[in-house]
């Protein structure tokens, strides 16, 4: 999801619903509806196309986590392009219900929707780490500082895995944690988006 700096958790909705178009893969050009729960907007098509070009050779068979999923633009796009599974997390009940309904409309049983605050969800590590994590948190709420020490760990992302992050362009991108590299980065208007890549070797298992 991409939400402009006014960001996702607004007050009264300004329109009854929003529309998401899948831009690639099995469901290319499919249009899906979602409620306007506080101004959620899908990441622009150009941004998504750039991101999934970066990940092009790593999506097939991957397990993905979409935090702050909103409309599900990133998680659903990943599933359309060959991800084997995606967990979509959002605390807004109306959005979570819309995600479940859209997965049903797509006849997809590879998506799991969790209606829970992201902080609560991250309090318990998953049964197995993910291959790709998407993080587009609300701006100016300190989420990057909260997420950085948690998500960039072998418990959440396997060695050789990927973390995608969006943040406001007027702040610096946090440095890559030890064992990670900033693989790609671009800025479009008020949003900076970047992709981090983990070393293929776990921190406690040096190469050789």
């Amino acid at each position: 999801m991409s939400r402009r700096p006014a960001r996702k958790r607004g007050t009264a909705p300004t329109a009854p619903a929003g529309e998401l178009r899948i831009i690639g893969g099995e469901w290319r050009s499919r249009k899906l509806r979602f409620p306007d729960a506080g101004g959620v907007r899908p990441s622009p098509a150009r941004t998504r196309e750039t991101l999934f070009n970066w990940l092009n050779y790593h999506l097939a068979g991957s397990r993905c986590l979409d935090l702050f999923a909103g409309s599900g633009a990133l998680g659903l796009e990943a599933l359309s392009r060959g991800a084997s599974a995606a967990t979509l997390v959002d605390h807004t009940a109306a959005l979570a219900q819309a995600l479940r309904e859209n997965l049903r409309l797509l006849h997809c049983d590879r998506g799991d929707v969790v209606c829970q605050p992201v902080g609560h969800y991250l309090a318990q590590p998953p049964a197995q780490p993910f291959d790709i994590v998407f993080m587009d948190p609300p701006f100016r709420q300190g989420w990057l500082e909260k997420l950085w020490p948690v998500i960039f760990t072998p418990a959440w992302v396997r060695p050789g895995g990927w973390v995608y992050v969006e943040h406001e362009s007027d702040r610096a991108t946090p440095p890559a944690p030890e064992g990670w590299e900033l693989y790609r980065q671009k800025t479009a208007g008020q949003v900076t988006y970047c992709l981090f890549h983990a070393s293929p070797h776990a921190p406690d298992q040096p190469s050789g």
Side-chain angles (χ1 to χ4, degrees):
M1 283 305 303
S2 182
R3 311 154 194 109
R4 305 291 67 84
R7 299 304 274 180
K8 176 177 178 179
R9 313 303 179 191
T11 54
T14 57
E19 186 174 82
L20 163 69
R21 183 176 67 86
I22 305 294
I23 57 175
E26 177 185 357
W27 307 319
R28 183 177 181 179
S29 298
R30 284 290 299 271
K31 293 181 179 179
L32 303 169
R33 305 291 285 176
F34 60 91
D36 183 355
V40 173
R41 296 179 179 86
S43 296
R46 182 173 295 181
T47 299
R48 280 184 282 146
E49 190 64 52
T50 298
L51 165 62
F52 287 100
N53 282 341
W54 290 345
L55 288 171
N56 185 43
Y57 298 108
H58 309 286
L59 280 164
S62 64
R63 295 180 63 255
C64 300
L65 173 62
D66 187 359
L67 297 174
F68 310 96
S71 72
L74 300 179
L76 294 175
E77 191 77 42
L79 288 169
S80 180
R81 293 170 182 251
S84 65
T87 298
L88 299 93
V89 182
D90 201 286
H91 81 260
T92 304
L95 290 169
Q97 181 58 36
L99 289 169
R100 295 187 183 101
E101 178 63 16
N102 283 331
L103 287 166
R104 187 189 67 80
L105 290 173
L106 294 167
H107 304 289
C108 178
D109 61 2
R110 293 175 287 126
D112 179 36
V113 178
V114 177
C115 185
Q116 191 175 28
V118 165
H120 292 178
Y121 177 78
L122 294 177
Q124 183 64 44
Q128 57 179 312
F130 292 92
D131 300 296
I132 302 170
V133 175
F134 304 108
M135 297 195 304
D136 178 15
F139 286 1
R140 308 189 194 286
Q141 294 185 20
W143 275 108
L144 293 191
E145 289 73 17
K146 298 172 189 175
L147 294 169
W148 231 248
V150 178
I151 206 69
F152 289 93
T153 65
W156 284 98
V157 185
R158 68 165 180 80
W162 305 83
V163 172
Y164 171 76
V165 180
E166 290 189 22
H167 65 80
E168 55 270 57
S169 58
D170 60 359
R171 69 155 293 165
T173 301
E178 183 178 358
W180 290 76
E181 65 169 338
L182 178 57
Y183 178 75
R184 293 285 189 274
Q185 182 176 35
K186 292 191 72 172
T187 295
Q190 296 178 320
V191 179
T192 292
Y193 51 107
C194 37
L195 184 64
F196 292 86
H197 184 217
S199 166
H201 304 286
D204 57 350
Q205 294 183 353
S207 60

